[in-house]
Amino acid sequence: MGSTNFGNFDAFCRDSTLPVCNVLSETHTQRGGWGGCDLQGIPLSGDRYLGNLGSILLCGIAIAVSILLLLRSERKKAAVGRREMQLFLIGYIIIEICEIFTVGEFPLSATVRIAFTGIHIGMIIATTWILLLNAIVGYQILDDGTPLSLGLMLISGAVLFIGTGYITLDTGYHWTNEFVPDPNNHYRNIALYVLYQLAPLVFLVAFYVLEAILVLRILGEIRPMIYLTGAAVLFALGQIFNYVISPYICNGTAGRIDGALFETLFTLLAVVTIWIFWSSITEDDWPIASQPTGYP
């Protein structure tokens, strides 16, 4: 693995604004030995600055919209997976709160920023896992909304959150020196690479596949696939802006904004579209399996 880029974060942190870079940087900010375009932000007193105001504002909007969806979900009393969808929305709200202080580069001490980063990355993997389990809930293997269904979701999500959070915090605080970032080795961290970069992507792809099978094979419908695919496209656009286009935006605006702002926006739109998709397949007028399929 030493001759490959697998596990390396220097190029990612050079071109993108990612929460993981806070625990890899020597200064525990988005600025590190990887170089690249630095966000200039808004200067504050004491040589501090508010790095990413646009992302902070969008995070606030995302939190407000998610709370609205949470309340709207509560009104869908007969909807399959209502509580499970609410757990996903709660996870997303926590992610956006953390993003204000990690990606938003809100002025904090290094110790506090590392703590928020640990929670942020832990919640990313736990929330994408919960979203995957939401797809499984649609198959009614277990009754939705029961203590067993919610308990399994919470316990498995908590295991992922604690494990990922610990590795992230150990990387930043150097508790065991097992995950100390090495600038001479491209800031390589195999554990965080798998947990932060790969695992959520696997969960999201599995969610899409399971939901597509449910909609096309069991419900026999086409319309919900428009929402599901739309959510996938919106999420992919956010990642493209953050990982590919970001350095061009940053350099082109002299460090005023970068792709992280658009990643926050498109991820919010993807979450809203996922909620619309879920709402559309929990309507009362979908046909049951024993009836001819088609539009009601």
Side-chain angles (χ1 to χ4, degrees), residues 44-45 48-51 56 100-101 104-109 113:
L44 302 174
S45 62
R48 299 177 303 160
Y49 68 100
L50 187 63
I56 292 173
I100 291 173
F101 303 102
E105 295 193 63
F106 198 89
L108 294 170
S109 69
R113 182 174 287 108

Side-chain angles (χ1 to χ4, degrees), residues 114-175:
I114 292 171
F116 271 109
T117 302
I119 298 170
H120 189 175
I121 295 178
M123 285 305 301
I124 287 174
I125 190 168
T127 303
T128 51
W129 170 252
I130 288 173
L131 182 63
L132 169 58
L133 295 185
N134 267 266
I136 297 175
V137 165
Y139 289 83
Q140 292 288 275
I141 298 173
L142 294 174
D143 290 337
D144 64 288
T146 61
L148 178 59
S149 174
L150 295 174
L152 289 173
M153 189 172 285
L154 285 170
I155 291 172
S156 59
V159 170
L160 289 172
F161 170 76
I162 293 171
T164 305
Y166 170 79
I167 292 173
T168 306
L169 295 177
D170 194 351
T171 301
Y173 292 136
H174 307 162
W175 288 332

Side-chain angles (χ1 to χ4, degrees), residues 31 38-45 47-57 99-108 113 255-257:
R31 304 183 181 196
D38 293 326
L39 285 171
Q40 301 305 309
I42 301 174
L44 302 174
S45 62
D47 198 29
R48 299 177 303 160
Y49 68 100
L50 187 63
N52 207 340
L53 180 61
S55 288
I56 292 173
L57 294 176
E99 190 171 320
I100 291 173
F101 303 102
T102 58
V103 172
E105 295 193 63
F106 198 89
L108 294 170
R113 182 174 287 108
R256 292 182 178 87
I257 61 172

Side-chain angles (χ1 to χ4, degrees), residues 76-121:
K76 297 175 68 68
K77 300 295 185 182
V80 174
R82 175 169 61 102
R83 294 302 184 196
E84 289 80 0
M85 175 54 65
Q86 287 178 317
L87 281 181
F88 166 70
L89 291 172
I90 291 171
Y92 177 65
I93 290 171
I94 296 173
I95 288 173
E96 291 308 295
I97 292 172
C98 293
E99 190 171 320
I100 291 173
F101 303 102
T102 58
V103 172
E105 295 193 63
F106 198 89
L108 294 170
S109 69
T111 301
V112 176
R113 182 174 287 108
I114 292 171
F116 271 109
T117 302
I119 298 170
H120 189 175
I121 295 178

Side-chain angles (χ1 to χ4, degrees), residues 204 208 226-239 270 273-274:
L204 292 174
Y208 182 91
I226 298 174
Y227 305 132
L228 182 64
T229 303
V233 170
L234 287 167
F235 179 79
L237 282 174
Q239 301 311 301
T273 310
I274 284 174

Side-chain angles (χ1 to χ4, degrees), residues 61-82:
I61 294 172
I63 293 167
V65 170
S66 300
I67 292 173
L68 177 62
L69 295 180
L70 202 63
L71 297 175
R72 289 289 298 273
S73 301
E74 186 64 27
R75 295 168 55 186
K76 297 175 68 68
K77 300 295 185 182
V80 174
R82 175 169 61 102

